[in-house]
Amino acid sequence: MKDILNFLSELKANNCREWFNDNKERYNAVKKSVESLTENLLAMISGFDSEASGLRVADCTYRIYRDTRFSSDKTPFKTHIGIFINPPKGKKSFRSGYYLHIEPGNCLFAAGNIGLPSGMLKAVRQSIYDEIEEYRSIVESEDFKKTFPSIGENMLKTAPKGFPKDWEFIDYLKPKDFCCSCPISDKTMLSPKLLKTLEPIYRRAKRYNDFINYAIDDFEENMNAKA
């Protein structure tokens, strides 16, 4: 892990093709380290989420090259590494999964997903509304709240369309992105016990992912039946 963090730190200070080309061998070594970490994470997650066992490293990792075509930021390389283990279809699926963000001084773990299509997003909200006690048993449990103190990102300012504004738990329906995250210190990332530290965090995320994925799978089944 030290080689990964050191490389990313230097890349951030030298984000240009010339520096990257001069350090291509270092990047290739970092890439192998990331692939090894991903394999270990897949093995760990498969122990409690069997759908992860069918994924390959390529299903969970991303290119370091940025797509600058439609961005004002023309720096050519990402200065972080993401590992998104999203069973059973991989990183491009809208299902909720397990994301590890590696960036010096800003490492984190996240569960869920972002950018759901509007119909799918409404289905997730409806599922929470219909099964609020089950949802609360997940997100209000002591271990979950201790690990993930806040739920959801990009919050609406008012109730989403189609739901009562005066509902007691309306704040649970306001996220545009149903995900939760927790920071991970660089010290923890560098520890030889990293996987042992991450495992209970990943396990706590599973019930949250399962709840969201039930709504997503049901929505997709209904859409396919109508097609």
Side-chain angles (χ1 to χ4, degrees), residues 137-199:
S137 74
I138 298 168
V139 301
E140 294 181 11
S141 67
E142 184 176 351
D143 285 347
F144 192 91
K145 287 178 69 175
K146 184 177 180 180
T147 305
F148 307 108
S150 62
I151 308 297
E153 296 181 357
N154 297 322
M155 312 294 282
L156 296 173
K157 293 182 179 180
T158 187
K161 185 178 179 180
F163 297 94
K165 295 180 180 180
D166 59 351
W167 187 48
E168 182 180 0
F169 305 107
I170 195 63
D171 285 348
Y172 283 137
L173 305 185
K174 289 182 179 180
K176 294 180 183 178
D177 296 317
F178 280 91
C179 55
C180 51
S181 63
C182 63
I184 302 173
S185 69
D186 287 9
K187 181 179 179 180
T188 297
M189 294 296 293
L190 291 168
S191 170
K193 298 181 179 180
L194 174 62
L195 288 176
K196 187 175 181 179
T197 301
L198 290 179
E199 183 170 5

Side-chain angles (χ1 to χ4, degrees), residues 106-144:
N106 190 37
C107 296
L108 62 84
F109 168 80
N113 209 333
I114 61 175
L116 296 181
S118 58
M120 193 174 288
L121 183 59
K122 184 176 181 180
V124 170
R125 288 172 171 150
Q126 189 66 54
S127 182
I128 294 172
Y129 183 80
D130 292 339
E131 305 293 341
I132 184 57
E133 293 307 317
E134 180 182 352
Y135 189 72
R136 289 181 63 207
S137 74
I138 298 168
V139 301
E140 294 181 11
S141 67
E142 184 176 351
D143 285 347
F144 192 91

